[in-house]
Amino acid sequence: EKYNNESNRTLHNDIWYKNPLYLRKRIQRTNITPTINYFDLRFGNLCNLNCRSCGPESSSQFAKELHEIDHPEISKYHSMEIVDTNSWYNTDMFIKNIQKQLPNIQQLYLTGGEPTIIDKNYEILQLLIDNGFNKTIRIVFNSNMTNTNPKFFNLIKQFDYVTFYASIDGYGTMQEYLRFPSKWSQIDSNIQKILSMTNAVIRPTPVIQIANLSRITELFEYFENFNRIAGKTLIDIRPIILENPSRLDMVNLPLEYKKQAWGK
């Protein structure tokens, strides 16, 4: 922020400051009752993938592998401390707080781990449906797009507004290499299934790094082909430049290689 960079804090302040409800109250100079309109919920690190750019705090599979290897060199890159990330939400107080804010919530952001396989998220989604808030609350998932559980798809079909920030870093074998053990055929099937829904949109967030820079255009072409066929933007690509872990940062690549990749 000091150097005019947009942080997550300023980004959300700007989004909610322009919200019609707040705008109307500002114009009328009326007080705004303190309520929580946006929740960012991260129920632990349970995940079915072991992505190369991830870490134990975000993936249970990654953490499992680190402890199986159990080598002192690992501590140079990752903390080996086992942290309890689940107890905070397994309380009566948490559920009561959520229930209290249900009428106020406009957007619910769910990530993990992998949010589509975490039982607590299913519980929250069902709570919203049972109370009729599936028609008013926008659900946002940050997902690896590998879930094939029919129960999940049956739940999200009942919401009016669903967004998937798709964590996909490559096309075909590149994706399978970077986000092991995902299967491209499974991801492709899920993307097409979601595109067939009238209540859901997909916003891929490919993380560009050393390993995928020269082939990232394959993924862009895959997504843009859906848009070309439809004649409109069905998939809104939002690339991210990797900075951490630093060993995968493109700054480490030779300039000529980066120029060739840019040329693609």
Side-chain angles (χ1 to χ4, degrees):
E1 292 178 12
K2 180 180 178 182
Y3 297 101
N4 297 318
N5 291 321
E6 187 176 56
S7 70
N8 206 39
R9 184 185 73 86
T10 56
L11 173 66
H12 282 280
N13 278 349
D14 187 50
I15 290 172
W16 293 102
Y17 190 71
K18 293 175 181 177
N19 183 287
L21 172 64
Y22 299 141
L23 184 61
R24 186 167 63 251
K25 290 190 175 185
R26 289 204 314 275
I27 292 172
Q28 296 172 351
R29 296 183 181 276
T30 56
N31 291 329
I32 299 176
T33 304
T35 57
I36 300 178
N37 302 101
Y38 172 77
F39 274 86
D40 179 331
L41 298 178
R42 306 176 184 224
F43 297 138
N45 68 343
L46 179 65
C47 190
N48 58 333
L49 300 187
N50 187 354
C51 304
R52 295 177 184 272
S53 60
C54 197
E57 69 285 346
S58 298
S59 168
S60 55
Q61 292 298 319
F62 199 107
K64 178 183 176 183
E65 183 174 276
L66 292 190
H67 285 89
E68 286 175 350
I69 296 171
D70 192 24
H71 194 281
E73 286 291 310
I74 293 175
S75 61
K76 292 181 180 179
Y77 304 98
H78 300 286
S79 171
M80 298 298 288
E81 180 184 2
I82 299 177
V83 180
D84 177 14
T85 59
N86 301 303
S87 61
W88 67 271
Y89 61 83
N90 286 315
T91 61
D92 290 338
M93 181 178 70
F94 171 74
I95 289 298
K96 288 178 181 177
N97 284 339
I98 288 287
Q99 290 174 327
K100 182 180 179 181
Q101 295 295 334
L102 284 180
N104 307 313
I105 300 174
Q106 296 181 42
Q107 183 165 304
L108 192 61
Y109 177 83
L110 303 171
T111 184
E114 170 51 36
T116 68
I117 65 171
I118 295 174
D119 289 341
K120 196 68 176 182
N121 284 327
Y122 283 67
E123 182 183 325
I124 294 295
L125 293 176
Q126 192 62 58
L127 176 68
L128 299 181
I129 293 170
D130 292 344
N131 287 275
F133 292 105
N134 52 313
K135 301 299 180 182
T136 58
I137 296 177
R138 182 180 296 274
I139 303 295
V140 181
F141 294 99
N142 190 325
S143 171
N144 60 35
M145 308 298 285
T146 61
N147 191 351
T148 57
N149 187 341
K151 180 181 178 181
F152 171 72
F153 287 98
N154 288 334
L155 280 173
I156 65 170
K157 283 178 181 178
Q158 299 180 61
F159 286 83
D160 279 7
Y161 312 100
V162 182
T163 299
F164 285 88
Y165 283 102
S167 295
I168 302 172
D169 294 345
Y171 175 79
T173 55
M174 176 56 70
Q175 166 70 9
E176 295 176 349
Y177 171 77
L178 291 174
R179 292 184 173 267
F180 177 83
S182 64
K183 297 298 180 185
W184 179 255
S185 58
Q186 186 181 54
I187 292 171
D188 176 55
S189 175
N190 283 340
I191 287 174
Q192 299 198 48
K193 185 183 298 185
I194 291 169
L195 286 177
S196 69
M197 300 178 183
T198 58
N199 66 329
V201 297
I202 299 176
R203 292 175 179 166
T205 56
V207 180
I208 305 178
Q209 49 145 301
I210 280 180
N212 66 359
L213 177 63
S214 66
R215 291 182 56 186
I216 196 65
T217 51
E218 297 173 11
L219 182 64
F220 293 162
E221 284 295 317
Y222 166 78
F223 287 134
E224 285 295 347
N225 194 49
F226 287 105
N227 298 334
R228 293 188 188 108
I229 293 173
K232 60 181 180 180
T233 303
L234 295 178
I235 298 180
D236 179 12
I237 309 171
R238 302 191 175 192
I240 298 171
I241 304 300
L242 180 142
E243 295 180 345
N244 185 53
S246 59
R247 61 187 177 279
L248 297 178
D249 191 332
M250 291 183 295
V251 73
N252 299 305
L253 290 172
L255 179 60
E256 284 305 311
Y257 182 87
K258 287 187 278 191
K259 286 181 177 178
Q260 292 172 16
W262 176 253
K264 291 185 178 183

